[in-house]
Amino acid sequence: GSIPTGLVIDDGEVTWGAGHVGGFHVVGLDKDGTLHVGFMTVQKALDAGIRWGVSFETHDGLASELIINGEIQRQNLGSGVNPRTAIGQRDDGALLLLVLDGRSISTLGATMEDICDIMLEYGAVNAGNLDGGSSSVMVYGGEIINNCASVVGPRRVPTAFLLMEEGDVDG
């Protein structure tokens, strides 16, 4: 943890992955808050206006794209039951953040298909998988509000999506 392995765009600037030749599986937001999900080069991500974005691919090669324009990306539904983290967006622009616990007696977790089903149930037209497992942590009001899968507590991660009320930060 704590070192990116792909593309990171922060406030419209590429902070990691700029020299990479080829593309990334990108999940990102543009200045209007529109969620972009797809395979793209650094330049294509910047041309799409992505201001805050990350790339993600699972250890077994599954990409982050789960739902694009309402269509489930079936090639990315492999993998087993684990804690999961995902972001999605409805047609009306509302963002959906999902963190599912797992690896415990009360819940084993979810599959990628489970994530798609939940996102579609809540009206997502685009959705992307983010890092799961011990990285599946949701914080609200400064407190972790889910059960972290790690017995040693939350792990260090190099990127996160932070949603704040307008005016809470500059920019």
Side-chain angles (χ1 to χ4, degrees):
S2 74
I3 297 177
T5 58
L7 179 66
V8 178
I9 300 174
D10 181 26
D11 203 16
E13 299 292 324
V14 177
T15 60
W16 199 268
H20 179 75
V21 177
F24 296 98
H25 298 281
V26 177
V27 178
L29 295 162
D30 65 22
K31 68 178 176 56
D32 297 322
T34 301
L35 182 68
H36 297 262
V37 179
F39 186 79
M40 54 190 84
T41 64
V42 172
Q43 190 59 53
K44 186 175 176 185
L46 293 173
D47 290 347
I50 293 177
R51 302 266 323 206
W52 301 275
V54 297
S55 62
F56 185 73
E57 189 172 322
T58 67
H59 68 281
D60 51 0
L62 297 175
S64 57
E65 303 94 30
L66 293 178
I67 301 170
I68 298 176
N69 297 324
E71 296 292 323
I72 293 175
Q73 305 302 295
R74 300 226 172 261
Q75 73 275 12
N76 294 323
L77 296 186
S79 196
V81 175
N82 282 296
R84 301 282 181 194
T85 305
I87 186 170
Q89 189 167 48
R90 298 187 320 214
D91 249 348
D92 65 4
L95 286 174
L96 306 169
L97 297 174
L98 177 64
V99 174
L100 296 172
D101 294 340
R103 298 183 188 157
S104 71
I105 293 172
S106 60
T107 180
L108 297 176
T111 65
M112 298 288 203
E113 191 163 358
D114 293 333
I115 295 289
C116 289
D117 291 344
I118 292 167
M119 284 290 180
L120 289 172
E121 181 181 332
Y122 283 89
V125 292
N126 291 306
N129 178 58
L130 301 170
D131 198 6
S134 297
S135 300
S136 289
V137 174
M138 184 175 281
V139 176
Y140 182 79
E143 301 289 326
I144 295 174
I145 61 171
N146 71 306
N147 295 313
C148 180
S150 173
V151 295
V152 296
R155 64 186 290 225
R156 296 174 73 148
V157 293
T159 58
F161 280 99
L162 305 175
L163 301 181
M164 295 178 258
E165 289 188 46
E166 235 178 300
D168 278 355
V169 295
D170 294 329

